[in-house]
Amino acid sequence: MLTREAIRVELISGGNVIKQGDETTLIFQFRHETGNVLDLQGSKIKVTMANSRVVVLEKDAAVNLDNTVSFPLTQKDVTGWGEMRIEFTITYQSGTVRKLPADGWLKINITKTLDDLEVGGVSYVTVETMKSQFQRQIDAFSTSLDSRVTTTEGKAITAETNAVQAFNTATSIQNQFNQVIQRETDSNAESAQARIDTGGIAHPTLKARVDYEITQTNERFNQSIAAINKEKASVQDLDRNRTIGVPVTAGAPVFARNATRDYKGRTYQINEPVYDQGGVMVEPEIGETLKIPTSDVLNHHEGTIEGEITPLAIIDFMNYCRIDFPTGGRFTIFCNAAGGVRFAIAPFGGAFIGTSDGVVKLNEPFSFALRWNHRAMEYSLFVNGKREATGMYDKNLLGEFGSEMSVVYNYKAIVHRLRFSKIARRDRELIY
């Protein structure tokens, strides 16, 4: 029986333990069974690196004169962290393609950095204080806007004054010119002096100087008029913004219900939320919604959402904190009828991470934290102070978040608290 010669791959430089984000060059040596170095001159080599789940990097390597192979890792090469498997695809000059090592993979370990352990960029929101906090934002924005309008109107007035002064200067020069022309034959000395402008430039004739001054004045006049128009447009924009109220980036949470509701002997008006058990009750089944704009609050690069919710129904696919991506797919925490908790940032029907069943119970509050970090290439689920699961996250797969988050998406629940962070919070802040 014919057997194919085994080629041994050796890592001879660069180390098999690398810090995530380090710039280093790995150098490999390929040897025959006899120990002789494999001749790779003229060959093309592609290196594939993968973790336990997916391929994280594909890159061409360089063949050196001594038949070693150099594979540089730079900060632009996003690999994540953990044990990595390396496979080589060699295309010989003859066109033959071979993958090595034949007995599996070469393994290296990329250790995690502390880059994701930042502090700051946190916003804290409880249901009871949402309205007052956003009202303060509206008041602050209104005050700032009034100041900007006053400043802009002042600039417009200044520009208009400058334009009038420029016009008056042009008229004065023209009058001087007319007077000098009348006297030019009487006083050559005065005429010669009049041909010198305020900048010390002597013009060949009085008319040349006046033409120059008028041209300069017209340019300044036109610039002043343009400045006036620009400032007026700016004032109009500010007035338009003031009419709208707060900008999109400071959108407030919105509770909505298009009808009145009777609950525990009280009638709640349209869009008036019911507060019970220390939180706001949301029943999508009767048309109630609680939505939060994501702009300037959450981003797809990294972040953390912490919350506490009491489910008033235990049904498959109960969705909380759901964001639909414009490109398709969803960001959501959801539960099943058996009480398991799931966290997904994936296309519909795609992968998710989660807990075992029996964690969530009817009419009992549970706490959760959802964390994602593109730099660390991971997203994690914490439930009731315990880190339950971690999966791989790549912000480029689905792109930017949608414009709003639905706090209670499809089945009734009570929302007790929400905390949004623009950074991936540390484990010690989420575990208790």
Side-chain angles (χ1 to χ4, degrees):
M1 184 176 81
L2 294 176
T3 59
R4 193 173 190 182
E5 179 189 17
I7 302 296
R8 185 171 73 253
V9 182
E10 301 173 350
L11 175 61
I12 62 174
S13 179
N16 59 2
V17 179
I18 304 169
K19 196 74 170 179
Q20 183 184 9
D22 277 356
E23 293 192 342
T24 186
T25 298
L26 304 179
I27 300 179
F28 302 92
Q29 186 83 74
F30 296 73
R31 293 186 181 275
H32 295 281
E33 289 178 331
T34 60
N36 293 330
V37 175
L38 183 66
D39 185 3
L40 296 172
Q41 298 304 311
S43 301
K44 295 181 179 179
I45 299 180
K46 182 179 72 174
V47 179
T48 302
M49 182 180 294
N51 57 26
S52 60
R53 297 178 296 273
V54 296
V55 171
V56 298
L57 180 64
E58 285 187 330
K59 191 173 182 179
D60 291 332
V63 177
N64 303 314
L65 294 178
D66 60 355
N67 285 311
T68 57
V69 174
S70 296
F71 175 55
L73 285 174
T74 69
Q75 290 185 345
K76 295 181 180 180
D77 297 325
V78 179
T79 61
W81 57 274
E83 185 178 76
M84 299 291 169
R85 299 173 294 176
I86 297 178
E87 183 178 73
F88 303 86
T89 301
I90 303 176
T91 303
Y92 295 99
Q93 280 186 312
S94 63
T96 302
V97 177
R98 188 170 185 182
K99 291 183 178 292
L100 297 173
D103 58 349
W105 308 277
L106 198 67
K107 295 181 179 180
I108 64 172
N109 189 41
I110 297 181
T111 58
K112 191 175 182 179
T113 71
L114 301 180
D115 288 345
D116 62 327
L117 304 183
E118 299 178 38
V119 176
V122 181
S123 60
Y124 183 76
V125 181
T126 60
V127 173
E128 292 80 359
T129 59
M130 278 182 182
K131 186 174 181 180
S132 62
Q133 288 188 17
F134 278 98
Q135 185 60 50
R136 285 197 297 272
Q137 291 182 16
I138 293 171
D139 295 340
F141 177 79
S142 179
T143 301
S144 174
L145 190 59
D146 288 338
S147 175
R148 290 173 60 196
V149 169
T150 301
T151 301
T152 302
E153 288 175 342
K155 289 181 179 179
I157 293 171
T158 300
E160 191 165 7
T161 300
N162 291 339
V164 172
Q165 291 176 347
F167 178 79
N168 291 338
T169 299
T171 303
S172 174
I173 291 174
Q174 183 65 57
N175 291 336
Q176 292 178 43
F177 172 76
N178 293 337
Q179 295 173 8
V180 170
I181 288 298
Q182 293 173 3
R183 303 194 302 266
E184 186 171 15
T185 56
D186 300 329
S187 178
N188 289 333
E190 280 190 276
S191 298
Q193 184 178 10
R195 291 198 297 269
I196 301 175
D197 62 26
T198 57
I201 300 175
H203 297 270
T205 64
L206 283 173
K207 184 178 185 305
R209 182 209 164 171
V210 173
D211 288 344
Y212 172 81
E213 296 282 6
I214 291 176
T215 299
Q216 294 297 309
T217 302
N218 285 338
E219 289 181 359
R220 290 193 293 271
F221 183 84
N222 292 334
Q223 290 171 359
S224 297
I225 293 299
I228 291 171
N229 293 333
K230 182 178 179 180
E231 296 300 337
K232 285 182 178 179
S234 180
V235 170
Q236 291 172 354
D237 288 341
L238 291 173
D239 285 338
R240 190 179 302 113
N241 286 338
R242 179 160 51 186
T243 302
I244 293 172
V246 297
V248 175
T249 54
V254 177
F255 176 88
R257 184 184 59 249
N258 60 9
T260 61
R261 175 181 180 179
D262 292 329
Y263 182 76
K264 292 185 177 181
R266 175 184 168 183
T267 298
Y268 291 82
Q269 300 303 311
I270 293 173
N271 296 334
E272 181 183 6
V274 174
Y275 291 92
D276 194 16
Q277 301 180 44
V280 61
M281 181 182 295
V282 185
E283 290 196 38
E285 299 95 322
I286 62 172
E288 293 182 340
T289 61
L290 177 59
K291 296 183 178 181
I292 298 177
T294 59
S295 179
D296 204 34
V297 177
L298 299 170
N299 67 82
H300 70 313
H301 183 79
E302 66 173 310
T304 309
I305 299 175
E306 300 165 75
E308 184 178 9
I309 289 178
T310 295
L312 302 179
I314 298 292
I315 304 172
D316 279 335
F317 305 113
M318 300 183 299
N319 279 223
Y320 307 120
C321 297
R322 173 163 165 166
I323 304 170
D324 288 336
F325 287 88
T327 57
R330 82 289 192 224
F331 173 110
T332 187
I333 177 176
F334 62 100
C335 305
N336 61 18
V341 185
R342 313 284 189 256
F343 178 27
I345 313 177
F348 293 104
F352 58 84
I353 57 178
T355 70
S356 58
D357 292 340
V359 175
V360 174
K361 297 179 174 57
L362 183 66
N363 296 325
E364 292 186 13
F366 76 97
S367 65
F368 62 87
L370 315 175
R371 183 180 70 189
W372 62 100
N373 189 342
H374 175 71
R375 287 179 299 173
M377 299 291 286
E378 69 174 29
Y379 70 115
S380 301
L381 170 66
F382 300 76
V383 178
N384 295 330
K386 179 183 177 183
R387 179 170 175 168
E388 293 284 356
T390 297
M392 182 178 176
Y393 174 66
D394 184 349
K395 70 176 183 180
N396 298 313
L397 295 181
L398 293 176
E400 297 281 354
F401 283 166
S403 61
E404 62 182 15
M405 182 183 75
S406 181
V407 181
V408 179
Y409 181 74
N410 49 4
Y411 295 107
K412 59 184 178 180
I414 295 175
V415 181
H416 300 284
R417 66 179 177 88
L418 289 172
R419 169 180 162 121
F420 303 116
S421 302
K422 292 182 180 180
I423 64 169
R425 308 299 296 172
R426 294 170 288 188
D427 278 9
R428 69 185 186 188
E429 298 175 273
L430 305 175
I431 295 175
Y432 54 86

